[in-house]
Every structure is written in structure tokens, then in C-alpha cells.
Amino acid sequence: MKIAVPSPGKDLESDVDSRFGRASGFIVYDTDEKTFIVADNSQNLNAAQGAGIQAAQNVSSTGAGVVIAPSFGPNAFKVLKAAGVKAVTCSAGTVKATIEDYLNGKLSESDAANVEGHW
Amino acid sequence: MRIAVASGKGGTGKTTVAVALSMAVSEKVLYADCDVEEPNGSIFLRPEISRTEKVLVEVPEIDEEKCISCGKCAKFCQFNALVSLGTPPLVFPELCHSCGGCAIVCPTDSISWKKVSIGEITVGSADSGRVSVIQGKLNVGSSLAPPVIRQVKSHIADDILTVIDCPPGTACPVIESLDGADYVLLVTEPTPFGLHDLILAVDTVRVLGMPFSVVINRFDEGDDGVENYCKNEKIHIMAKIPHRRSMAEVYSRGGILFDAIPEMLDLFKSIPQMIERGIEVE
């Protein structure tokens, strides 16, 4: 299973980005291989609109089945749902700790967007 | 003649100036409220509304039977209004700019158009019929001001003096509002903020090649940065509106400039003639 987490950093010790749509990238961790890649999301930093939609597409194209972030807007949530990617909410922390929390069952799946658009 | 009233900064007094200009002249005038995100000229002009019309734009509708899920439409869309996940695309109509590109790139002709309403135009008249009032209002949740502004402008006739109340800023809605105007009055205030945004607005109208001058509102407050800037740039100052407590009181009750400062009336009356005579640079 692949788990995506928005982060401005390049490794598992980096912090989780509080933004989903306008995160500079996603760290995608493969729980089977115990490896990770950094998926670029930087084209959304200056997007006039639809950053959450594009980011959700980017996450989906990494093959991730789960994405963990502090917040998801309504459009991002709609795309993730259509793509069959589970949206899980977390609080601040490192990417590593966040993924461990999820694997230990401490985080739960979101059934709706938890912030407004343009949050 | 079409006179646009614009500013970089919000809250400088565009509507105050546009309404004052409409009320000062004795000829027939059309006041066009293009500040469609917050149209408020009507608060001061109090028009009698004769009719309203919807502003419709077209957004794509996908025929899922014909769609082969190729994703070309979503890839083409620069506004992220279409998303393809190896499925027929999801449509986010509120992000669509109605450019039509998705239907052109679709290889199976699966995209048709559906009309959605993004705003409303109100048509009315004030001052015993002398002032025609056209107001555009963008729906809450819609982000496309330019189509609403275009529809406001479609009501402008060439043979009538028109005052266009523009939105603040220098982005698309302002450009759309300025397009087709003969002259621009840039309203500012004598503060560092007013000056900063006036410079942006001046840069904008200069790129557009439009003749313009400046109106300084709340004149005797603040600093002399705006005046010095206009002097150095050889920009004509059309009017200086004094800062008076009485103006704030009148404004708070929905009154107009001349209720508080009647001595400004003659100057505003003569603005269209001054513009026609070509006073641009002192």
C-alpha cells in the first residue's frame, strides 16, 4: 500500500504541510517495499484556482491508496473520492510519525471535507 | 462618451465619485455599476428597478456513453474545471471559463454545453428618469466577474454619457470594465497606501493607452506623496475632494457628495466638458 503525505521536505523526517492543494510536494511511502518517493506538486503553488483538484489528481497518479493531511477542501475531497483514494486527517508532526500513527490505527478516515474551499 | 472611474486601492471613493458625476451633470446619463462583487451605487442613486435579467455562461456536460475516458479534455483545461481519473471527467462548473477548448480536443464529440447562471443584471432609473442605472451582481460562490461585466456593458448606448463604476484592483474585472471607455478617472487618497496602488493603476491605464487623470479624495488628510507623484509624472489632478466630517455623516445615511460639500458641484458638472476639451496634462 502507498500512503501520500503533503510535505515541503524531501524525507520522512520532514514536517507535514498544513496545506493539501498548495503543498510543494507529497512524500509517498510504500509500506510493502519500505521505500518512499517525493511527488512534485509545485505547479500548484501559483495556480489561480483548482489547486486542490490538481493536487488530488497528482496524488491519485502516484498510485497512493491513502492520503493523510490536516485538511481537505470540498473539491479535493470530491476528486479523491472519485479516484478511490482514502482521505485521512492528521494534526501537525513529521511525515514518519504521521504514517506510523495511521498504521497503528490512531488516525481515521474522513467522510467529508473538513475545511471550506480556499481555506 | 464613456468615463470609467477606477482605482488601485479599494475604499478610495470610486462610487462616491461615479455617483457624484452622474448626479452633477444635467444631461441624460447612464451609470453602469461594474463592481459586480459588491455593487453599491444603487444605495446612493436609489433607482426604480424596471427589470432584471440573468447572466448565463456555458459549462461542459459529458455524454458518458460516448466518452472514452481519454482525459484529453482534462489535460487541456487550464482552469482545473475538468478532472479525468481514467474515467469520464468530473466537472467543476464553478471553475469553468467557458473557453470551449475541451469540446474541441474531445475525439468522440462527447461534450455539449449547459447554461448556468452566474449573476444578475438590474436595469432601472433614478433622478426622475434622467439617470439610467445598470447594475451587475455576481452570484455568491461564482468567481467569474468578467462575463457579468460584459453583460452590464452590453446595455451601454453610444450616444449617451456613461459613467462606469469599476471594481478595485488591476486584474481581469478591472480590465474588462475599462475596455471600451474613452477616459479614466483614477480615485485615490493621500496616503502611502493610496499612492502605492495609484501607481499600479496608472501603470495599468498606461499599458492600455487610455487618457486619464486623478481625483484625490479626503484631500487634506495624509501626506503629499500622491500630489508629488502626479507632479513628477505630469498627471493632471481633476479634483481634490476635501475631508469633512459632514461627508462621512452624509455618506453614512446614503447621501451624495454635494449634500455635504455643495461647492464641489460646479467642478463635477464641468468634468465631461473638460475631458472632451482634452485636459489630460496640465
Side-chain angles (χ1 to χ4, degrees), chain B residues 176-222:
Chain B
E176 184 61 57
S177 303
L178 292 174
D179 185 34
D182 301 301
Y183 194 87
V184 189
L185 288 175
L186 293 176
V187 186
T188 188
E189 59 180 31
T191 64
F193 316 110
L195 174 60
H196 177 270
D197 293 358
L198 173 66
I199 293 170
L200 295 175
V202 167
D203 286 349
T204 306
V205 293
R206 279 183 171 158
V207 167
L208 296 172
M210 304 178 82
F212 68 97
S213 59
V214 165
V215 174
I216 307 179
N217 193 11
R218 302 181 199 107
F219 180 65
D220 22 32
E221 289 286 310

mmCIF file of all heavy atoms in Angstrom, chain B residues 176-222:
data_model
loop_
_atom_site.group_PDB
_atom_site.id
_atom_site.type_symbol
_atom_site.label_atom_id
_atom_site.label_comp_id
_atom_site.label_asym_id
_atom_site.label_seq_id
_atom_site.Cartn_x
_atom_site.Cartn_y
_atom_site.Cartn_z
ATOM 1 N N GLU B 176 -11.673 44.397 -17.929
ATOM 2 C CA GLU B 176 -12.947 44.247 -18.647
ATOM 3 C C GLU B 176 -13.795 45.512 -18.486
ATOM 4 O O GLU B 176 -14.429 45.964 -19.441
ATOM 5 C CB GLU B 176 -13.708 43.019 -18.111
ATOM 6 C CG GLU B 176 -14.989 42.714 -18.850
ATOM 7 C CD GLU B 176 -14.761 42.407 -20.326
ATOM 8 O OE1 GLU B 176 -13.981 41.479 -20.610
ATOM 9 O OE2 GLU B 176 -15.349 43.099 -21.185
ATOM 10 N N SER B 177 -13.810 46.090 -17.295
ATOM 11 C CA SER B 177 -14.613 47.301 -17.051
ATOM 12 C C SER B 177 -14.073 48.493 -17.834
ATOM 13 O O SER B 177 -14.831 49.330 -18.325
ATOM 14 C CB SER B 177 -14.625 47.652 -15.556
ATOM 15 O OG SER B 177 -15.105 46.572 -14.794
ATOM 16 N N LEU B 178 -12.730 48.572 -17.947
ATOM 17 C CA LEU B 178 -12.111 49.714 -18.632
ATOM 18 C C LEU B 178 -12.223 49.607 -20.153
ATOM 19 O O LEU B 178 -12.255 50.626 -20.854
ATOM 20 C CB LEU B 178 -10.624 49.811 -18.262
ATOM 21 C CG LEU B 178 -10.289 50.186 -16.815
ATOM 22 C CD1 LEU B 178 -8.783 50.099 -16.596
ATOM 23 C CD2 LEU B 178 -10.790 51.590 -16.487
ATOM 24 N N ASP B 179 -12.294 48.375 -20.642
ATOM 25 C CA ASP B 179 -12.285 48.145 -22.082
ATOM 26 C C ASP B 179 -13.449 48.892 -22.748
ATOM 27 O O ASP B 179 -14.612 48.689 -22.380
ATOM 28 C CB ASP B 179 -12.376 46.637 -22.351
ATOM 29 C CG ASP B 179 -12.240 46.322 -23.838
ATOM 30 O OD1 ASP B 179 -11.496 47.043 -24.517
ATOM 31 O OD2 ASP B 179 -12.894 45.375 -24.295
ATOM 32 N N GLY B 180 -13.147 49.737 -23.685
ATOM 33 C CA GLY B 180 -14.188 50.476 -24.406
ATOM 34 C C GLY B 180 -14.452 51.850 -23.830
ATOM 35 O O GLY B 180 -15.188 52.639 -24.426
ATOM 36 N N ALA B 181 -13.862 52.171 -22.671
ATOM 37 C CA ALA B 181 -14.064 53.506 -22.100
ATOM 38 C C ALA B 181 -13.186 54.518 -22.839
ATOM 39 O O ALA B 181 -12.152 54.166 -23.397
ATOM 40 C CB ALA B 181 -13.738 53.503 -20.610
ATOM 41 N N ASP B 182 -13.634 55.779 -22.831
ATOM 42 C CA ASP B 182 -12.871 56.827 -23.520
ATOM 43 C C ASP B 182 -11.907 57.539 -22.583
ATOM 44 O O ASP B 182 -10.956 58.181 -23.028
ATOM 45 C CB ASP B 182 -13.838 57.869 -24.112
ATOM 46 C CG ASP B 182 -14.795 57.225 -25.092
ATOM 47 O OD1 ASP B 182 -14.321 56.639 -26.071
ATOM 48 O OD2 ASP B 182 -16.026 57.299 -24.857
ATOM 49 N N TYR B 183 -12.193 57.468 -21.291
ATOM 50 C CA TYR B 183 -11.401 58.240 -20.344
ATOM 51 C C TYR B 183 -11.503 57.568 -18.970
ATOM 52 O O TYR B 183 -12.535 56.976 -18.638
ATOM 53 C CB TYR B 183 -11.944 59.667 -20.259
ATOM 54 C CG TYR B 183 -11.011 60.627 -19.565
ATOM 55 C CD1 TYR B 183 -10.017 61.291 -20.275
ATOM 56 C CD2 TYR B 183 -11.121 60.849 -18.185
ATOM 57 C CE1 TYR B 183 -9.151 62.166 -19.630
ATOM 58 C CE2 TYR B 183 -10.257 61.718 -17.537
ATOM 59 C CZ TYR B 183 -9.266 62.379 -18.265
ATOM 60 O OH TYR B 183 -8.417 63.235 -17.629
ATOM 61 N N VAL B 184 -10.425 57.673 -18.180
ATOM 62 C CA VAL B 184 -10.430 57.058 -16.852
ATOM 63 C C VAL B 184 -10.147 58.115 -15.784
ATOM 64 O O VAL B 184 -9.204 58.899 -15.904
ATOM 65 C CB VAL B 184 -9.357 55.942 -16.732
ATOM 66 C CG1 VAL B 184 -9.534 55.180 -15.414
ATOM 67 C CG2 VAL B 184 -9.420 54.982 -17.912
ATOM 68 N N LEU B 185 -10.985 58.137 -14.755
ATOM 69 C CA LEU B 185 -10.698 58.928 -13.553
ATOM 70 C C LEU B 185 -10.193 57.944 -12.508
ATOM 71 O O LEU B 185 -10.897 56.998 -12.140
ATOM 72 C CB LEU B 185 -11.973 59.602 -13.030
ATOM 73 C CG LEU B 185 -12.540 60.772 -13.835
ATOM 74 C CD1 LEU B 185 -13.874 61.207 -13.221
ATOM 75 C CD2 LEU B 185 -11.559 61.938 -13.880
ATOM 76 N N LEU B 186 -8.962 58.145 -12.042
ATOM 77 C CA LEU B 186 -8.407 57.263 -11.012
ATOM 78 C C LEU B 186 -8.562 57.936 -9.658
ATOM 79 O O LEU B 186 -7.998 59.006 -9.422
ATOM 80 C CB LEU B 186 -6.930 56.977 -11.297
ATOM 81 C CG LEU B 186 -6.638 56.150 -12.560
ATOM 82 C CD1 LEU B 186 -5.124 56.040 -12.774
ATOM 83 C CD2 LEU B 186 -7.266 54.766 -12.470
ATOM 84 N N VAL B 187 -9.351 57.318 -8.793
ATOM 85 C CA VAL B 187 -9.618 57.907 -7.479
ATOM 86 C C VAL B 187 -8.602 57.346 -6.480
ATOM 87 O O VAL B 187 -8.380 56.133 -6.428
ATOM 88 C CB VAL B 187 -11.049 57.581 -7.009
ATOM 89 C CG1 VAL B 187 -11.367 58.314 -5.701
ATOM 90 C CG2 VAL B 187 -12.071 57.950 -8.088
ATOM 91 N N THR B 188 -8.021 58.243 -5.706
ATOM 92 C CA THR B 188 -7.048 57.780 -4.714
ATOM 93 C C THR B 188 -7.191 58.607 -3.450
ATOM 94 O O THR B 188 -8.022 59.515 -3.373
ATOM 95 C CB THR B 188 -5.613 57.858 -5.279
ATOM 96 O OG1 THR B 188 -4.708 57.229 -4.371
ATOM 97 C CG2 THR B 188 -5.183 59.306 -5.501
ATOM 98 N N GLU B 189 -6.405 58.266 -2.454
ATOM 99 C CA GLU B 189 -6.392 59.042 -1.214
ATOM 100 C C GLU B 189 -4.932 59.385 -0.907
ATOM 101 O O GLU B 189 -4.023 58.664 -1.322
ATOM 102 C CB GLU B 189 -7.024 58.231 -0.076
ATOM 103 C CG GLU B 189 -6.292 56.924 0.163
ATOM 104 C CD GLU B 189 -6.882 56.087 1.288
ATOM 105 O OE1 GLU B 189 -8.090 56.142 1.506
ATOM 106 O OE2 GLU B 189 -6.098 55.368 1.933
ATOM 107 N N PRO B 190 -4.705 60.483 -0.201
ATOM 108 C CA PRO B 190 -3.335 60.961 0.005
ATOM 109 C C PRO B 190 -2.616 60.223 1.128
ATOM 110 O O PRO B 190 -2.235 60.807 2.135
ATOM 111 C CB PRO B 190 -3.533 62.442 0.332
ATOM 112 C CG PRO B 190 -4.875 62.493 0.983
ATOM 113 C CD PRO B 190 -5.701 61.402 0.377
ATOM 114 N N THR B 191 -2.438 58.929 0.957
ATOM 115 C CA THR B 191 -1.728 58.121 1.954
ATOM 116 C C THR B 191 -0.711 57.253 1.215
ATOM 117 O O THR B 191 -0.819 57.081 -0.008
ATOM 118 C CB THR B 191 -2.697 57.174 2.700
ATOM 119 O OG1 THR B 191 -3.244 56.251 1.748
ATOM 120 C CG2 THR B 191 -3.831 57.922 3.364
ATOM 121 N N PRO B 192 0.241 56.676 1.935
ATOM 122 C CA PRO B 192 1.181 55.758 1.276
ATOM 123 C C PRO B 192 0.462 54.591 0.589
ATOM 124 O O PRO B 192 0.877 54.138 -0.476
ATOM 125 C CB PRO B 192 2.058 55.249 2.424
ATOM 126 C CG PRO B 192 1.986 56.331 3.457
ATOM 127 C CD PRO B 192 0.597 56.895 3.342
ATOM 128 N N PHE B 193 -0.634 54.111 1.172
ATOM 129 C CA PHE B 193 -1.393 53.010 0.567
ATOM 130 C C PHE B 193 -2.050 53.472 -0.733
ATOM 131 O O PHE B 193 -2.041 52.779 -1.736
ATOM 132 C CB PHE B 193 -2.486 52.500 1.517
ATOM 133 C CG PHE B 193 -2.023 52.344 2.929
ATOM 134 C CD1 PHE B 193 -2.488 53.189 3.913
ATOM 135 C CD2 PHE B 193 -1.092 51.376 3.258
ATOM 136 C CE1 PHE B 193 -2.033 53.067 5.215
ATOM 137 C CE2 PHE B 193 -0.639 51.251 4.559
ATOM 138 C CZ PHE B 193 -1.111 52.098 5.548
ATOM 139 N N GLY B 194 -2.653 54.660 -0.657
ATOM 140 C CA GLY B 194 -3.292 55.225 -1.838
ATOM 141 C C GLY B 194 -2.282 55.402 -2.953
ATOM 142 O O GLY B 194 -2.538 55.052 -4.108
ATOM 143 N N LEU B 195 -1.107 55.920 -2.623
ATOM 144 C CA LEU B 195 -0.072 56.159 -3.626
ATOM 145 C C LEU B 195 0.416 54.848 -4.231
ATOM 146 O O LEU B 195 0.527 54.717 -5.459
ATOM 147 C CB LEU B 195 1.106 56.916 -2.997
ATOM 148 C CG LEU B 195 2.312 57.105 -3.925
ATOM 149 C CD1 LEU B 195 1.925 57.890 -5.181
ATOM 150 C CD2 LEU B 195 3.467 57.801 -3.199
ATOM 151 N N HIS B 196 0.669 53.880 -3.372
ATOM 152 C CA HIS B 196 1.179 52.587 -3.854
ATOM 153 C C HIS B 196 0.250 51.993 -4.903
ATOM 154 O O HIS B 196 0.672 51.564 -5.975
ATOM 155 C CB HIS B 196 1.318 51.626 -2.667
ATOM 156 C CG HIS B 196 1.766 50.255 -3.055
ATOM 157 N ND1 HIS B 196 0.868 49.247 -3.382
ATOM 158 C CD2 HIS B 196 3.001 49.733 -3.220
ATOM 159 C CE1 HIS B 196 1.554 48.165 -3.709
ATOM 160 N NE2 HIS B 196 2.845 48.422 -3.615
ATOM 161 N N ASP B 197 -1.055 51.988 -4.595
ATOM 162 C CA ASP B 197 -1.998 51.356 -5.514
ATOM 163 C C ASP B 197 -2.350 52.266 -6.688
ATOM 164 O O ASP B 197 -2.693 51.774 -7.763
ATOM 165 C CB ASP B 197 -3.255 50.921 -4.745
ATOM 166 C CG ASP B 197 -2.939 49.792 -3.768
ATOM 167 O OD1 ASP B 197 -1.774 49.347 -3.734
ATOM 168 O OD2 ASP B 197 -3.842 49.349 -3.036
ATOM 169 N N LEU B 198 -2.216 53.577 -6.494
ATOM 170 C CA LEU B 198 -2.405 54.501 -7.622
ATOM 171 C C LEU B 198 -1.342 54.224 -8.689
ATOM 172 O O LEU B 198 -1.644 54.220 -9.888
ATOM 173 C CB LEU B 198 -2.306 55.959 -7.149
ATOM 174 C CG LEU B 198 -2.326 57.012 -8.280
ATOM 175 C CD1 LEU B 198 -3.679 57.010 -8.995
ATOM 176 C CD2 LEU B 198 -1.993 58.401 -7.754
ATOM 177 N N ILE B 199 -0.112 53.984 -8.250
ATOM 178 C CA ILE B 199 0.972 53.716 -9.209
ATOM 179 C C ILE B 199 0.642 52.467 -10.039
ATOM 180 O O ILE B 199 0.830 52.444 -11.254
ATOM 181 C CB ILE B 199 2.331 53.580 -8.469
ATOM 182 C CG1 ILE B 199 2.720 54.938 -7.866
ATOM 183 C CG2 ILE B 199 3.428 53.086 -9.412
ATOM 184 C CD1 ILE B 199 3.912 54.903 -6.920
ATOM 185 N N LEU B 200 0.108 51.443 -9.378
ATOM 186 C CA LEU B 200 -0.297 50.229 -10.113
ATOM 187 C C LEU B 200 -1.389 50.553 -11.133
ATOM 188 O O LEU B 200 -1.362 50.085 -12.273
ATOM 189 C CB LEU B 200 -0.822 49.155 -9.143
ATOM 190 C CG LEU B 200 0.164 48.574 -8.143
ATOM 191 C CD1 LEU B 200 -0.562 47.628 -7.188
ATOM 192 C CD2 LEU B 200 1.288 47.846 -8.855
ATOM 193 N N ALA B 201 -2.353 51.365 -10.691
ATOM 194 C CA ALA B 201 -3.472 51.707 -11.577
ATOM 195 C C ALA B 201 -2.986 52.551 -12.755
ATOM 196 O O ALA B 201 -3.425 52.358 -13.896
ATOM 197 C CB ALA B 201 -4.554 52.451 -10.786
ATOM 198 N N VAL B 202 -2.070 53.484 -12.492
ATOM 199 C CA VAL B 202 -1.520 54.322 -13.566
ATOM 200 C C VAL B 202 -0.772 53.435 -14.566
ATOM 201 O O VAL B 202 -0.932 53.583 -15.784
ATOM 202 C CB VAL B 202 -0.595 55.419 -12.987
ATOM 203 C CG1 VAL B 202 0.231 56.078 -14.087
ATOM 204 C CG2 VAL B 202 -1.418 56.472 -12.244
ATOM 205 N N ASP B 203 0.026 52.501 -14.039
ATOM 206 C CA ASP B 203 0.740 51.577 -14.938
ATOM 207 C C ASP B 203 -0.245 50.820 -15.823
ATOM 208 O O ASP B 203 0.011 50.604 -17.004
ATOM 209 C CB ASP B 203 1.563 50.560 -14.129
ATOM 210 C CG ASP B 203 2.802 51.189 -13.522
ATOM 211 O OD1 ASP B 203 3.124 52.331 -13.897
ATOM 212 O OD2 ASP B 203 3.447 50.549 -12.664
ATOM 213 N N THR B 204 -1.374 50.420 -15.237
ATOM 214 C CA THR B 204 -2.377 49.662 -15.983
ATOM 215 C C THR B 204 -2.975 50.498 -17.111
ATOM 216 O O THR B 204 -3.014 50.064 -18.261
ATOM 217 C CB THR B 204 -3.506 49.190 -15.039
ATOM 218 O OG1 THR B 204 -2.904 48.479 -13.960
ATOM 219 C CG2 THR B 204 -4.495 48.289 -15.751
ATOM 220 N N VAL B 205 -3.449 51.710 -16.784
ATOM 221 C CA VAL B 205 -4.110 52.504 -17.833
ATOM 222 C C VAL B 205 -3.099 52.972 -18.888
ATOM 223 O O VAL B 205 -3.449 53.162 -20.045
ATOM 224 C CB VAL B 205 -4.921 53.705 -17.274
ATOM 225 C CG1 VAL B 205 -6.110 53.207 -16.475
ATOM 226 C CG2 VAL B 205 -4.072 54.638 -16.439
ATOM 227 N N ARG B 206 -1.827 53.108 -18.486
ATOM 228 C CA ARG B 206 -0.812 53.477 -19.477
ATOM 229 C C ARG B 206 -0.566 52.330 -20.460
ATOM 230 O O ARG B 206 -0.411 52.561 -21.660
ATOM 231 C CB ARG B 206 0.489 53.892 -18.792
ATOM 232 C CG ARG B 206 0.412 55.330 -18.307
ATOM 233 C CD ARG B 206 1.704 55.806 -17.699
ATOM 234 N NE ARG B 206 1.634 57.251 -17.447
ATOM 235 C CZ ARG B 206 2.391 57.889 -16.580
ATOM 236 N NH1 ARG B 206 3.290 57.221 -15.868
ATOM 237 N NH2 ARG B 206 2.258 59.184 -16.426
ATOM 238 N N VAL B 207 -0.541 51.103 -19.941
ATOM 239 C CA VAL B 207 -0.401 49.941 -20.831
ATOM 240 C C VAL B 207 -1.583 49.882 -21.804
ATOM 241 O O VAL B 207 -1.424 49.571 -22.984
ATOM 242 C CB VAL B 207 -0.311 48.623 -20.013
ATOM 243 C CG1 VAL B 207 -0.491 47.409 -20.914
ATOM 244 C CG2 VAL B 207 1.030 48.533 -19.291
ATOM 245 N N LEU B 208 -2.766 50.220 -21.283
ATOM 246 C CA LEU B 208 -3.965 50.188 -22.121
ATOM 247 C C LEU B 208 -4.042 51.398 -23.058
ATOM 248 O O LEU B 208 -4.908 51.461 -23.932
ATOM 249 C CB LEU B 208 -5.226 50.140 -21.244
ATOM 250 C CG LEU B 208 -5.390 48.886 -20.368
ATOM 251 C CD1 LEU B 208 -6.561 49.058 -19.412
ATOM 252 C CD2 LEU B 208 -5.593 47.648 -21.225
ATOM 253 N N GLY B 209 -3.150 52.362 -22.852
ATOM 254 C CA GLY B 209 -3.114 53.540 -23.713
ATOM 255 C C GLY B 209 -4.327 54.447 -23.551
ATOM 256 O O GLY B 209 -4.769 55.082 -24.507
ATOM 257 N N MET B 210 -4.887 54.499 -22.321
ATOM 258 C CA MET B 210 -6.100 55.294 -22.122
ATOM 259 C C MET B 210 -5.755 56.639 -21.490
ATOM 260 O O MET B 210 -4.925 56.710 -20.584
ATOM 261 C CB MET B 210 -7.065 54.536 -21.192
ATOM 262 C CG MET B 210 -7.398 53.146 -21.705
ATOM 263 S SD MET B 210 -8.479 52.268 -20.568
ATOM 264 C CE MET B 210 -10.053 52.936 -21.060
ATOM 265 N N PRO B 211 -6.415 57.720 -21.939
ATOM 266 C CA PRO B 211 -6.219 59.010 -21.265
ATOM 267 C C PRO B 211 -6.847 58.960 -19.869
ATOM 268 O O PRO B 211 -7.896 58.331 -19.683
ATOM 269 C CB PRO B 211 -6.955 60.000 -22.166
ATOM 270 C CG PRO B 211 -7.924 59.197 -22.950
ATOM 271 C CD PRO B 211 -7.373 57.803 -23.062
ATOM 272 N N PHE B 212 -6.200 59.629 -18.918
ATOM 273 C CA PHE B 212 -6.704 59.543 -17.541
ATOM 274 C C PHE B 212 -6.269 60.756 -16.744
ATOM 275 O O PHE B 212 -5.354 61.492 -17.143
ATOM 276 C CB PHE B 212 -6.188 58.272 -16.867
ATOM 277 C CG PHE B 212 -4.699 58.287 -16.609
ATOM 278 C CD1 PHE B 212 -4.196 58.646 -15.361
ATOM 279 C CD2 PHE B 212 -3.812 57.948 -17.625
ATOM 280 C CE1 PHE B 212 -2.816 58.680 -15.135
ATOM 281 C CE2 PHE B 212 -2.433 57.973 -17.401
ATOM 282 C CZ PHE B 212 -1.940 58.335 -16.154
ATOM 283 N N SER B 213 -6.928 60.957 -15.614
ATOM 284 C CA SER B 213 -6.472 61.929 -14.626
ATOM 285 C C SER B 213 -6.838 61.381 -13.255
ATOM 286 O O SER B 213 -7.448 60.316 -13.149
ATOM 287 C CB SER B 213 -7.101 63.304 -14.875
ATOM 288 O OG SER B 213 -8.505 63.204 -14.817
ATOM 289 N N VAL B 214 -6.443 62.120 -12.218
ATOM 290 C CA VAL B 214 -6.574 61.614 -10.853
ATOM 291 C C VAL B 214 -7.547 62.470 -10.054
ATOM 292 O O VAL B 214 -7.609 63.683 -10.235
ATOM 293 C CB VAL B 214 -5.175 61.578 -10.188
ATOM 294 C CG1 VAL B 214 -5.263 61.422 -8.677
ATOM 295 C CG2 VAL B 214 -4.334 60.450 -10.791
ATOM 296 N N VAL B 215 -8.326 61.813 -9.203
ATOM 297 C CA VAL B 215 -9.155 62.518 -8.215
ATOM 298 C C VAL B 215 -8.615 62.121 -6.840
ATOM 299 O O VAL B 215 -8.508 60.933 -6.535
ATOM 300 C CB VAL B 215 -10.639 62.099 -8.326
ATOM 301 C CG1 VAL B 215 -11.460 62.731 -7.196
ATOM 302 C CG2 VAL B 215 -11.208 62.482 -9.690
ATOM 303 N N ILE B 216 -8.240 63.118 -6.048
ATOM 304 C CA ILE B 216 -7.753 62.806 -4.697
ATOM 305 C C ILE B 216 -8.891 63.046 -3.706
ATOM 306 O O ILE B 216 -9.406 64.161 -3.586
ATOM 307 C CB ILE B 216 -6.526 63.660 -4.305
ATOM 308 C CG1 ILE B 216 -5.441 63.550 -5.390
ATOM 309 C CG2 ILE B 216 -5.975 63.191 -2.953
ATOM 310 C CD1 ILE B 216 -4.203 64.403 -5.086
ATOM 311 N N ASN B 217 -9.276 61.981 -3.028
ATOM 312 C CA ASN B 217 -10.367 62.060 -2.056
ATOM 313 C C ASN B 217 -9.772 62.238 -0.654
ATOM 314 O O ASN B 217 -8.634 61.868 -0.418
ATOM 315 C CB ASN B 217 -11.199 60.767 -2.138
ATOM 316 C CG ASN B 217 -12.524 60.878 -1.398
ATOM 317 O OD1 ASN B 217 -12.927 61.974 -0.984
ATOM 318 N ND2 ASN B 217 -13.198 59.750 -1.221
ATOM 319 N N ARG B 218 -10.543 62.778 0.265
ATOM 320 C CA ARG B 218 -10.099 63.066 1.651
ATOM 321 C C ARG B 218 -8.813 63.880 1.603
ATOM 322 O O ARG B 218 -7.808 63.535 2.228
ATOM 323 C CB ARG B 218 -9.857 61.756 2.418
ATOM 324 C CG ARG B 218 -11.095 60.875 2.453
ATOM 325 C CD ARG B 218 -10.885 59.605 3.218
ATOM 326 N NE ARG B 218 -11.907 58.641 2.835
ATOM 327 C CZ ARG B 218 -11.682 57.584 2.087
ATOM 328 N NH1 ARG B 218 -10.470 57.292 1.666
ATOM 329 N NH2 ARG B 218 -12.668 56.777 1.769
ATOM 330 N N PHE B 219 -8.861 64.955 0.833
ATOM 331 C CA PHE B 219 -7.638 65.625 0.424
ATOM 332 C C PHE B 219 -6.778 66.172 1.548
ATOM 333 O O PHE B 219 -5.575 65.989 1.554
ATOM 334 C CB PHE B 219 -7.952 66.738 -0.588
ATOM 335 C CG PHE B 219 -6.715 67.440 -1.027
ATOM 336 C CD1 PHE B 219 -5.746 66.761 -1.756
ATOM 337 C CD2 PHE B 219 -6.484 68.760 -0.665
ATOM 338 C CE1 PHE B 219 -4.573 67.390 -2.122
ATOM 339 C CE2 PHE B 219 -5.315 69.396 -1.037
ATOM 340 C CZ PHE B 219 -4.369 68.705 -1.774
ATOM 341 N N ASP B 220 -7.375 66.836 2.547
ATOM 342 C CA ASP B 220 -6.494 67.500 3.499
ATOM 343 C C ASP B 220 -6.002 66.613 4.642
ATOM 344 O O ASP B 220 -5.445 67.088 5.611
ATOM 345 C CB ASP B 220 -7.131 68.784 4.019
ATOM 346 C CG ASP B 220 -8.632 68.768 3.855
ATOM 347 O OD1 ASP B 220 -9.235 67.672 3.928
ATOM 348 O OD2 ASP B 220 -9.213 69.822 3.637
ATOM 349 N N GLU B 221 -6.212 65.331 4.520
ATOM 350 C CA GLU B 221 -5.583 64.391 5.459
ATOM 351 C C GLU B 221 -4.324 63.841 4.805
ATOM 352 O O GLU B 221 -4.035 64.127 3.655
ATOM 353 C CB GLU B 221 -6.543 63.224 5.745
ATOM 354 C CG GLU B 221 -7.734 63.607 6.577
ATOM 355 C CD GLU B 221 -7.375 63.822 8.025
ATOM 356 O OE1 GLU B 221 -6.716 62.950 8.614
ATOM 357 O OE2 GLU B 221 -7.744 64.889 8.568
ATOM 358 N N GLY B 222 -3.589 63.018 5.519
ATOM 359 C CA GLY B 222 -2.493 62.260 4.921
ATOM 360 C C GLY B 222 -1.276 63.082 4.561
ATOM 361 O O GLY B 222 -1.002 64.107 5.176
#
